[in-house]
């Protein structure tokens, strides 16, 4: 049986109270699942224990870790929710119920799956920790997928690829997303997986040897420039993202320059640019491959500077430069933010979060509870919920057909995103293929409802223009303008479509 110490050792906060709560959840779950086995033959308890460990590694607090231990107790062990409430409080019960699927009797098949997903998002819109627990649960299930009967494996792996990995991506949880994708890749495309492994085996080592040489030279240069406290790490491209790139490059591995990258982690933003200067002073960069994601973060908040250089002996290498805070955010995303809220960091480190997930208000944020722990209360303050989750809940509540729900989910939230700007420089995050109409509705319903024309990058553009990353979009409005039916074909977001439909209906009535 797993030892509780293995779990408590991983926890950032080891206060008496926290350890006591987790220990009590450990005992409760162990008893609840006693006698149950997983497909692997291991005790079922191992699964909830490993889920809790992932949460502790992500830096989650004692309540979330406890909820991880208890997450299957209602659904799979028939535990009484009231007992959980009594023993662990409203907050933990809310989290456990949030990840519990809907009853098997009332819902079946696809419907159960989709309705459970919808329920998950509703709970998430009140407390982001629900989603973090679900992702950790999924990660452990994926790590042990080989034991699951074959006919189920592929379905679980596809769902991971289509729903959970994109969610992790949108939450900025790069590490978790990469692992989920690679685990799913093996089962969704087994042949391709093997092929990419074969192709890349020697390349990784070769590339890392090259990077090591560069780093040794770079180290000396940085010392000369008095840039200290530099950390490095080699980033191996995940197999799944390597495969996607290979497909675009005719499966020619020699055309992939970033199979491994050298990561240089420094203390401050200005050090990032100084390091870039030092690198470009020594090695010539490949034109057009310098990406400044600090000045232009990716829509999910990712920040770094990437550059690709000629190594001087015929090779080409990628170097990524970032501050320590950016590094944490890139690896753990929203989880690193939650951790800060538990009082272990400084607020400014997570300013990207405020920038990209504008504050929203949800009527009654957290579950009804009076918690003496102020830090936790702050954390579940509605402001921490990314606004796309709220939008998702709002837009999907009225959709009744399960397949429609899944379609909207994919197109609104998990397709590739672009980011475009208002004339004032505010960033608007949209799915690829969006038009000025989508943009207008994203800003305000009133603007969408009265579009008269649009300018893209200062030039007049038709309303069916497909916007591109970095476009500056200006909407002209006229009070007498009204949404037209044909707009429906030129919009991508559910938000725009829903508003257009409702305006059309209103016009018909009046
Ligand atoms: Mn589970």
């Amino acid at each position: 049986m797993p030892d509780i110490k293995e779990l408590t050792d991983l926890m950032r906060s080891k206060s008496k109270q926290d350890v006591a709560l987790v220990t009590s959840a450990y005992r409760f779950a162990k008893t609840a699942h006693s006698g149950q086995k997983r497909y692997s033959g291991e005790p079922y308890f191992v699964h909830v224990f490993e889920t809790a460990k992932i949460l502790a590694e992500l830096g989650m607090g004692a309540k979330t870790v406890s909820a991880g231990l208890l997450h299957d107790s209602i659904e799979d062990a028939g535990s009484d929710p009231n007992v959980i409430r009594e023993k662990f409080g409203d907050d933990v019960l809310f989290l456990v119920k949030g990840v519990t699927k809907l009853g098997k009797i009332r819902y079946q098949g696809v419907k159960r799956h989709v309705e459970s997903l919808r329920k998950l998002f509703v709970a998430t819109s009140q407390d982001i920790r629900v989603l973090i627990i679900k992702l950790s649960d999924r990660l452990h299930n994926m790590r042990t997928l080989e034991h699951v009967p074959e006919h189920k494996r592929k379905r679980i792996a596809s769902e991971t690829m289509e729903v959970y990995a994109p969610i992790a991506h949108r939450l900025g949880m790069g590490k978790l997303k990469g692992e989920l994708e690679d685990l799913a890749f093996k089962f969704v495309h087994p042949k391709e997986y093997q092929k990419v492994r074969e192709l890349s085996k020697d390349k990784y080592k070769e590339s890392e040897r090259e990077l090591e040489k560069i780093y040794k030279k770079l180290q000396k240069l940085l010392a000369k420039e008095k840039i200290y406290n530099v950390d490095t790490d080699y980033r191996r491209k995940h197999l799944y993202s390597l495969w996607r790139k290979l497909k675009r490059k005719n499966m020619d591995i020699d055309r992939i320059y970033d199979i491994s990258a050298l990561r240089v982690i420094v203390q401050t933003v200005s050090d990032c640019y100084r390091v870039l200067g030092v690198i470009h002073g020594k090695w010539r960069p490949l034109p057009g491959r310098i990406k400044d994601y600090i000045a232009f973060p990716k829509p999910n908040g990712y920040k770094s500077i990437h550059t690709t250089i000629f190594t001087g002996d015929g090779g080409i290498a990628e170097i990524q430069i970032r501050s320590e805070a950016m590094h944490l955010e890139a690896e753990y995303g929203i989880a690193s933010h939650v951790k800060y809220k538990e009082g272990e960091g400084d607020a400014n480190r997570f300013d990207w979060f405020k920038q990209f997930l504008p504050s929203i208000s949800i009527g009654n944020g957290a579950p009804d509870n009076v918690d003496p722990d102020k830090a936790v209360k702050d954390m579940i303050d509605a402001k921490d919920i990314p606004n796309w989750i709220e939008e998702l809940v709002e837009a999907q509540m009225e959709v009744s057909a399960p397949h429609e729900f899944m379609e909207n989910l994919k197109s609104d939230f998990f397709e590739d995103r672009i980011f475009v700007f208002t004339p004032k420089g505010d960033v608007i995050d949209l799915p690829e293929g969006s038009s000025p109409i989508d943009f207008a509705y994203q800003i305000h319903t009133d603007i969408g409802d009265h579009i008269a024309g649009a300018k893209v990058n200062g030039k007049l553009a038709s309303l069916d223009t497909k916007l591109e990353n970095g476009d500056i979009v200006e909407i002209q409005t006229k009070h007498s303008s009204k949404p037209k039916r044909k707009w429906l074909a030129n919009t991508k977001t559910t938000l725009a479509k829903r508003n257009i439909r409702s305006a059309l209906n209103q016009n018909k009535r009046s």
Side-chain angles (χ1 to χ4, degrees):
M1 264 300 168
D3 186 347
I4 176 84
K5 220 179 148 307
E6 236 183 277
L7 175 60
T8 47
D9 278 352
L10 290 170
M11 288 167 59
R12 307 279 154 94
S13 158
K14 294 179 178 58
S15 75
K16 243 190 193 158
Q17 225 184 337
D18 286 349
V19 171
L21 185 73
V22 170
T23 306
S24 159
Y26 171 91
R27 292 204 185 107
F28 186 94
K30 206 158 146 180
T31 312
H33 293 292
S34 72
Q36 290 180 345
K37 292 241 185 313
R38 302 191 87 214
Y39 285 118
S40 62
E42 277 184 318
Y44 196 93
F45 177 70
V46 171
H47 165 64
V48 296
F49 185 75
E50 290 299 321
T51 303
K53 271 171 65 185
I54 294 169
L55 288 163
E57 277 166 340
L58 285 171
M60 296 293 113
K63 286 184 181 174
T64 317
V65 171
S66 300
L69 284 162
L70 301 169
H71 82 270
D72 281 330
S73 61
I74 296 178
E75 186 179 326
D76 295 316
S79 300
D80 180 351
N82 291 317
V83 176
I84 294 180
R85 189 203 310 271
E86 261 163 50
K87 280 179 141 340
F88 305 100
D90 282 332
D91 224 14
V92 172
L93 177 63
F94 180 87
L95 297 174
V96 173
K97 279 168 86 177
V99 292
T100 301
K101 289 200 203 76
L102 290 159
K104 281 186 183 119
I105 299 160
R106 276 213 304 149
Y107 298 92
Q108 267 155 9
V110 187
K111 181 138 172 74
R112 178 172 184 241
H113 160 68
V114 170
E115 291 301 323
S116 297
L117 209 52
R118 200 198 306 246
K119 175 177 165 289
L120 173 75
F121 282 117
V122 172
T124 296
S125 74
Q126 295 178 48
D127 192 328
I128 190 72
R129 293 176 297 178
V130 171
L131 196 48
I132 297 176
I133 296 169
K134 187 71 194 178
L135 289 170
S136 305
D137 169 41
R138 178 53 62 121
L139 179 58
H140 184 251
N141 284 334
M142 289 304 297
R143 284 178 181 167
T144 51
L145 192 63
E146 74 212 58
H147 303 291
V148 170
E150 212 182 331
H151 68 278
K152 283 188 169 182
R153 266 183 234 160
K154 199 148 182 165
R155 179 187 59 76
I156 295 171
S158 313
E159 191 183 273
T160 300
M161 199 72 118
E162 288 174 7
V163 178
Y164 294 100
I167 289 176
H169 176 64
R170 289 221 65 200
L171 294 176
M173 302 169 80
K175 206 174 159 186
L176 202 138
K177 173 221 166 202
E179 193 181 343
L180 281 178
E181 271 182 355
D182 275 9
L183 289 165
F185 182 30
K186 194 166 143 189
F187 296 98
V188 178
H189 304 288
K191 276 192 211 126
E192 290 80 354
Y193 176 83
Q194 287 308 335
K195 189 171 177 200
V196 174
R197 260 179 67 133
E198 280 297 304
L199 266 175
S200 60
K201 216 170 52 194
D202 302 328
K203 284 281 167 185
Y204 279 122
K205 283 184 208 136
E206 209 178 286
S207 156
E208 272 155 36
R209 267 199 303 270
E210 185 91 27
L211 292 174
E212 238 165 280
K213 278 194 269 170
I214 293 175
Y215 180 58
K216 281 198 183 121
K217 286 183 201 161
L218 181 62
Q219 227 175 359
K220 284 183 200 140
L221 295 170
L222 293 179
K224 235 194 258 167
E225 294 295 319
K226 300 201 169 40
I227 302 173
Y228 304 117
N229 282 328
V230 181
D231 223 346
T232 52
D233 141 25
Y234 298 100
R235 190 277 288 135
R236 273 186 179 206
K237 204 173 188 60
H238 280 284
L239 285 177
Y240 180 66
S241 86
L242 178 59
W243 177 60
R244 296 216 313 188
K245 200 155 191 177
L246 276 166
K247 281 199 297 186
R248 295 198 302 269
K249 308 266 179 189
N250 257 328
M251 298 305 279
D252 181 358
I253 194 125
D254 292 324
R255 288 174 62 199
I256 310 272
Y257 303 139
D258 64 341
I259 185 154
S260 296
L262 174 64
R263 250 182 212 152
V264 182
I265 301 161
V266 293
Q267 297 300 306
T268 63
V269 174
S270 63
D271 277 353
C272 293
Y273 290 102
R274 285 172 71 203
V275 170
L276 180 71
V278 171
I279 291 169
H280 286 178
K282 167 84 183 170
W283 294 279
R284 219 147 47 86
L286 256 72
R289 292 190 58 106
I290 307 159
K291 293 175 196 139
D292 186 349
Y293 296 120
I294 295 179
F296 295 101
K298 290 189 181 179
N300 69 351
Y302 178 85
K303 281 183 182 174
S304 256
I305 298 171
H306 294 187
T307 183
T308 308
I309 55 163
F310 293 103
T311 58
D313 48 12
I316 283 170
E318 177 169 304
I319 305 181
Q320 304 179 348
I321 310 158
R322 50 173 76 160
S323 71
E324 216 170 278
M326 291 173 201
H327 183 59
L328 266 181
E329 289 158 18
E331 300 273 281
Y332 302 108
I334 201 162
S336 68
H337 176 77
V338 171
K339 191 182 78 192
Y340 137 67
K341 278 290 199 168
E342 292 192 345
E344 293 180 24
D346 74 85
N348 298 328
R349 280 162 49 149
F350 303 98
D351 53 349
W352 65 268
F353 185 85
K354 287 174 214 139
Q355 185 184 342
F356 282 92
L357 309 168
S359 65
I360 46 139
S361 57
I362 300 177
N364 54 344
D368 291 331
N369 69 316
V370 186
D371 195 303
D373 185 3
K374 173 114 178 24
V376 175
K377 247 173 44 185
D378 282 352
M379 183 174 72
I380 50 184
D381 182 323
K383 274 203 287 287
D384 282 350
I385 310 297
N387 68 345
W388 58 267
I389 292 178
E390 200 211 18
E391 271 169 30
L392 183 143
V393 170
E394 223 180 72
Q396 311 302 339
M397 284 318 276
E398 39 196 77
V399 176
S400 53
H403 69 92
E404 203 183 327
F405 174 82
M406 286 308 283
E407 281 315 303
N408 289 347
L409 191 67
K410 282 188 212 158
S411 70
D412 267 10
F413 299 100
F414 304 145
E415 271 180 13
D416 283 337
R417 311 289 294 186
I418 53 167
F419 56 116
V420 296
F421 299 92
T422 67
K424 281 189 188 155
D426 291 333
V427 180
I428 305 292
D429 165 15
L430 291 167
E432 218 168 53
S434 291
S435 68
I437 306 171
D438 292 298
F439 174 88
Y441 277 108
Q442 205 67 32
I443 295 182
H444 200 279
T445 314
D446 255 0
I447 297 182
D449 281 347
H450 300 287
I451 307 175
K455 276 186 178 174
V456 176
N457 303 323
K459 289 197 191 98
L460 283 175
S462 71
L463 293 181
D464 60 359
T465 306
K466 283 201 179 10
L467 297 176
E468 294 197 21
N469 226 353
D471 279 347
I472 300 170
V473 187
E474 194 182 338
I475 299 294
Q476 294 146 335
T477 55
K478 215 193 280 167
H479 193 71
S480 56
S481 296
K482 281 186 181 137
K484 300 181 179 55
R485 183 156 299 275
K486 66 171 186 197
W487 286 9
L488 287 171
N490 300 327
T491 45
K492 191 85 186 177
T493 54
T494 312
L495 181 76
K497 287 186 199 293
R498 190 163 49 110
N499 281 307
I500 296 166
R501 277 197 202 101
S502 101
L504 291 171
N505 286 338
Q506 238 166 30
N507 293 346
K508 227 193 290 168
R509 259 180 266 129
S510 61

